[in-house]
């Protein structure tokens, strides 16, 4: 499948590598291609800068956000929480009619660590994005784990933990769930419409505190029932 | 141990029954003893009204909130979210120097179901309670599961799931953790100070939506790490 990924950070790169390995045609979209290729520092996990990474993933291409959005039959929002709405609004035309997998969280680091959220409780970033893109099928998922677990949940307890999806379009959710299954997710709960993004985004406040308490981001919840 | 429980609803009753069974001396506190004893309708789970329940638990006594707070070496806040702050403020003197186990959630049903929260993100009900009761050691826990699992986690998957505690006083958390162990909790995570109540209370928005999606309140998260 042709898949566009909006973002050029560690999350975008991690997902791109996995999708490429699964045989998809992946195009990463960044605001300024030249500036992104000019970065030489390692990423937050000590991985190579994107330019070097791209050399070892020759089938993955880097382009503008509009080009990546136009390329994808399915597009993944791997922008930061604060960057998501303006970034997505700028490619609304290219995203019309398509599935947008929203993995972002409305994290607010302005008040220090651990983060709070820029929107919560009676609204969510997922819903804000859906309102900004009324012709796009927004599916919220993967925002509850770190990038490495997103694409390879079997790294933790053989994959015996839970991923939640929500969104307003059943067919879009089914397509995204197939992708999750390809990643290795075995327990996927479809919670219903996109208002449920309030729940999964608010959980991330607990996630951030568990990250601090456990000292590792390699954890997830299993919904035991 | 002498334990006071503030509240007379199904949660208060369920915890009282379990603590009584474990050999503790339990006093329930309600605003209006006569009115509470006058209720004849079954509780939300179809259980007997409190008057009938008390007849089958002769060691558990019903008293005013002040009497229950005065009775307890340890006191449990089983008031509703909206009732918690005024109820606790009225017994601040009786609670001074004691451990208060806060199991309440700031649920706001005024905007319909599923509920939102009256406080979230940059504050929490647990912290509001601690500010209201500066001389009391507030420990937040148990607010992430329903009453039946609170006191008997082995009802679900043999108890293979997680409970979180947080609070500003280490000795108080240790005492409450011993109580949790007596209830059957095997995986208890101490997340740190009471600001972590933001995380566990915000998770309850996801809990309410999982309750809707799963069709049962008999579930919990296991923090897989």
């Amino acid at each position: 499948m042709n898949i566009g990924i909006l973002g050029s950070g560690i999350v975008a790169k991690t997902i791109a590598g996995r999708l490429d390995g699964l045989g998809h045609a992946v195009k990463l979209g960044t605001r300024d291609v030249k500036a992104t290729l000019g970065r030489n520092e390692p990423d937050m996990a000590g991985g190579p800068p994107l330019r070097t990474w791209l050399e070892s993933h020759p089938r993955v291409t880097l382009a503008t956000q509009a080009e990546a959005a136009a390329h994808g039959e399915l597009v993944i929002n791997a922008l930061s929480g604060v960057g998501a709405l303006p970034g997505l609004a700028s490619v609304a035309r290219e995203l019309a009619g398509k599935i947008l997998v929203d993995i972002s969280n409305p994290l607010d680091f302005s008040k220090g660590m651990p983060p709070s959220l820029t929107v919560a409780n009676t609204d969510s970033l997922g819903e804000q994005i859906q309102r900004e893109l009324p012709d796009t099928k927004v599916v919220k998922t993967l925002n509850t784990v770190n990038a490495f677990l997103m694409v390879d949940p079997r790294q933790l307890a053989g994959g015996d933990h839970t991923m939640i999806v929500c969104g307003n379009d059943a067919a879009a959710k089914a397509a995204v769930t197939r992708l999750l299954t390809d990643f290795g997710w075995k327990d996927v709960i479809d919670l219903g419409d996109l208002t449920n993004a309030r729940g999964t985004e608010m959980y991330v406040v607990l996630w951030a505190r568990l990250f601090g308490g456990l000292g590792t981001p390699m954890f997830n919840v299993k919904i035991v029932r």
Side-chain angles (χ1 to χ4, degrees), chain A residues 60-162:
Chain A
V60 178
T61 54
L62 180 69
T64 65
Q65 293 183 336
E67 287 166 340
H71 166 79
E73 303 160 54
L74 176 149
V75 178
I76 296 173
N77 171 32
L79 299 168
S80 69
V82 288
L85 277 175
L88 293 167
S90 73
V91 295
R93 198 167 48 87
E94 288 83 356
L95 291 174
K98 297 180 177 176
I99 297 170
L100 180 72
V101 185
D102 177 32
I103 65 171
S104 65
N105 281 305
L107 295 172
D108 182 357
F109 295 99
S110 70
K111 295 174 189 75
M113 293 289 281
S116 57
L117 303 181
T118 57
V119 57
N121 202 16
T122 55
D123 197 4
S124 63
L125 182 55
E127 291 167 273
Q128 290 179 329
I129 289 171
Q130 182 65 83
R131 289 197 298 274
E132 187 70 41
L133 307 171
D135 299 325
T136 299
K137 297 156 197 159
V138 177
V139 177
K140 186 101 200 182
T141 191
L142 292 176
N143 63 307
T144 53
V145 293
N146 89 334
F148 303 109
L149 288 179
M150 285 182 190
V151 299
D152 191 8
R154 282 176 286 220
Q155 286 188 59
L156 176 69
D160 187 21
H161 43 101
T162 305

Side-chain angles (χ1 to χ4, degrees), chain A residues 130 137-141 165-170 172-173 190-197:
Chain A
Q130 182 65 83
K137 297 156 197 159
V138 177
V139 177
K140 186 101 200 182
T141 191
V165 298
C166 65
N168 300 336
D169 188 284
K173 281 191 285 193
D190 177 357
L191 257 194
D193 70 25
L194 200 57
T195 64
N196 292 292

Side-chain angles (χ1 to χ4, degrees), chain A residues 177-196:
Chain A
T177 300
R178 282 193 295 276
L179 202 59
L180 294 175
T181 304
D182 291 342
F183 284 165
W185 288 98
K186 292 184 282 196
D187 182 29
V188 178
I189 297 179
D190 177 357
L191 257 194
D193 70 25
L194 200 57
T195 64
N196 292 292

